[in-house]
Amino acid sequence: MEQQIEALKTTYDWGQSRVPLTELSDHIRASFGNETELKNIRTALLSVLDSDAKYAAKQYVCRELSIIGNDDCVPALAKLLTDEKLSDMARYALERIPGPAVDKALLAALPRAEGKAKIGIVNTLGNRACRDAVSETAKLARSSDEALACAAVSALGKMGGAEAANALAQVADGVSEKVKPALYDARLTCADRMVAEGDRAGARKIYQSLTATGVPQLVRTAALRGMRDAVSSR
Amino acid sequence: MKKHTYSRRQFLGRAAGASVAAVGVPYLIPASALGGQGNVAPSARIVMGCIGVGGQGTYNMNAFLRNADVQVVAVCDVDRDYKDGGAGREPAKRLVEAYYGSNAPSGGYKGCEAYADFRDLLARDDIDAVTVCTPDHWHGVISVAAAKAGKDIYCEKPLANSIPESKAIRDTVKKYARVLQTGSHERSNDSVRFACELIRNGRIGKLHTIRVNLPSSDPHHLEIAKLAGTSFPPMPVPASLDWEMWQGHTPWRPYTERACHFWWRFILDYGGGEMTDRGAHIIDLAQLGNNTDDTGPVELSAQGWRPATGLYDTFLKYSFECTYTNGVKMVGRDDGDRGLKFEGTDGWIFIHIHGGRLEASPESLLKEVIGPDEIHLGRSPEHHRNFLDAVKTRQDPVAPAEVGHRTATICHLLNLAMITGRGFKWDPLKEEIVGDPEANRWLIQPMHSPWHL
């Protein structure tokens, strides 16, 4: 493994032989279930992230860590969340690593991140349905940056639960026309999740508010469908 | 971005109404525009936009153009013009305008917009339906956005390039009650539907094995095999192409033409190789014949070979086995005549792909008649036409989102079994790999910012 790690650190780049990468991936595959060896591999991969390796090599490392990474890998990946070039790949790995350490790292990076990196972190928090992030995400739903606001309301919908539902209801009057479709969709998603979690009363309240005059027909129909399904799933 | 306050239908309806009130129909509106002489009135036409107009996208666009009740008003592609004017948004726009122009009294027509960004096309509220014929890695994001925008969707197969993406398409289409046709057009062959009726009505006895032949020996496969291990250096991005947008949510890489048009299907970030390419046709018919359209196998295993280096990383050689809860086994290999053989206790039927030519044993099976009280699978006039009819009736077409999603799921799970080197137990209800948390991580599809489902 040392040889392959060295190649990653010093020479590998786009358009060059992937043989060292393939050999390393084969070794990872063969180590399935061998926690001692996987720990060695993680340590070696993290050392690449901490080196002057080229972007192509670090991208490969993040792909592998997305599958075998654990809490030990979170600090090194979290450091990259605000890196303009590597933020997406850091999230690529973190999004697949289970556990609260990742959520905490994402939340900690959120205030420091900007632009696309910030939107990406919001997306990942939403995809992970991280309810600890509801209040921070709700603040971003009011952002004047419409792309960020859209990402934030969508994430709130995926997080689900009463707190996210309230946050979405509160921002409903203040969002721009461009954010409104994302908001409607997020409220439907949130209600659907509440039904799945057994909070039919909470979901019904959202669905009903989305059948009001002035709400687009597409959304009203979806809300009526949601209400019907909520009843039939009893 | 263009903003249309009224839909095309609303506009035409109001305009026609005003004209009628003012001066009467014959003087201002030709009969052809109102549906006379075999034409379809504009207000009754399905207004379409075509997203992704390369080879397959242009083929689909042409198929829709030739339906009198369709009006294509927009095309979209991140490449302005390629293949010497044979593909891209500007050639597609010219093609649409030439087609309608040839039928217009003036001989000219200017009514098709060309967009570089699908979001601009989806923002038009006059468009009823879209085609999504981009590389596979874009199917998920675009189809989900299209359903949220209230569009009906004809999406090329495989439905998406990952399980979570096709699942999101299925769920969003259901949420907004949209019609979606997966481009697995073999389902629209009469012979295929007849064969599946024979199987589902027990004419081959009890079905026990489905043998899938998914050869990888076409000229383009041979070219890829020849290039296995070749690393293509980065190249300057052509002026007509938005390479960043082409890559979309996938991990960034520098441009090289061999990663882009057509050849993307042999790079896992963008496609799944032959397993998801023709696999999405053949395994799709296995699902139809096995009556498992809304579910899937419960065990899968696969072995494969792919190049250890070079640009291409999909599997070029493979064999696989799937087991369903009804005991049926689906076994696959990368050679033989392309198609699938349903084996039962009393006989077998082979469906050739493409086209649906049938062979059977005993041969007399193919002369059987399906009785009125037996299972009938219906017929499709043609795959695009079937979609248009579904848009009008709001009924499911022959390859709805659930069907496309379940077929794509099997193809992706087989690729995953080869990538990880181990087989899985699959829970088709929860849509999870059973007892393998590491493998389940592959069922999460992280996306580069700002994209998400």
Side-chain angles (χ1 to χ4, degrees), chain A residues 129-144:
Chain A
C130 174
R131 291 194 177 166
D132 289 343
V134 167
S135 71
E136 286 306 309
T137 310
K139 289 177 199 164
L140 302 176
R142 296 178 185 281
S143 171
S144 58

Side-chain angles (χ1 to χ4, degrees), chain B residues 10-46:
Chain B
Q10 286 168 330
F11 175 79
L12 288 169
R14 286 167 198 220
S19 302
V20 170
V23 290
V25 174
Y27 298 100
L28 279 183
I29 305 174
S32 60
L34 290 174
Q37 299 168 349
N39 292 293
V40 179
S43 59
R45 290 180 201 160
I46 297 168

Side-chain angles (χ1 to χ4, degrees), chain B residues 3 58 86 98 156 181 201 225 250 258 298 312 324 346 379 437:
Chain B
K3 182 67 189 167
T58 301
E156 259 308 324
Q181 174 88 300
N201 286 303
T250 63
R258 277 289 182 160
V298 291
Y312 301 114
Y324 289 83
D346 300 336
R379 292 293 180 269

Side-chain angles (χ1 to χ4, degrees), chain B residues 164-183:
Chain B
E165 287 170 274
S166 69
K167 195 173 170 186
I169 294 173
R170 187 265 316 265
D171 293 347
T172 313
V173 161
K174 184 182 173 202
K175 182 177 181 179
Y176 289 108
R178 296 297 91 201
V179 168
L180 183 144
Q181 174 88 300
T182 314

Side-chain angles (χ1 to χ4, degrees), chain A residues 169-187:
Chain A
Q170 280 169 19
V171 297
D173 293 331
V175 298
S176 69
E177 286 300 311
K178 204 168 177 185
V179 179
K180 267 187 185 169
L183 179 70
Y184 289 133
D185 182 67
R187 297 193 72 200

Side-chain angles (χ1 to χ4, degrees), chain A residues 48-62 86:
Chain A
V48 178
L49 282 189
D50 202 30
S51 74
D52 292 330
K54 295 183 176 64
Y55 172 79
K58 292 186 177 180
Q59 185 188 94
Y60 165 80
V61 166
C62 289
L86 282 162

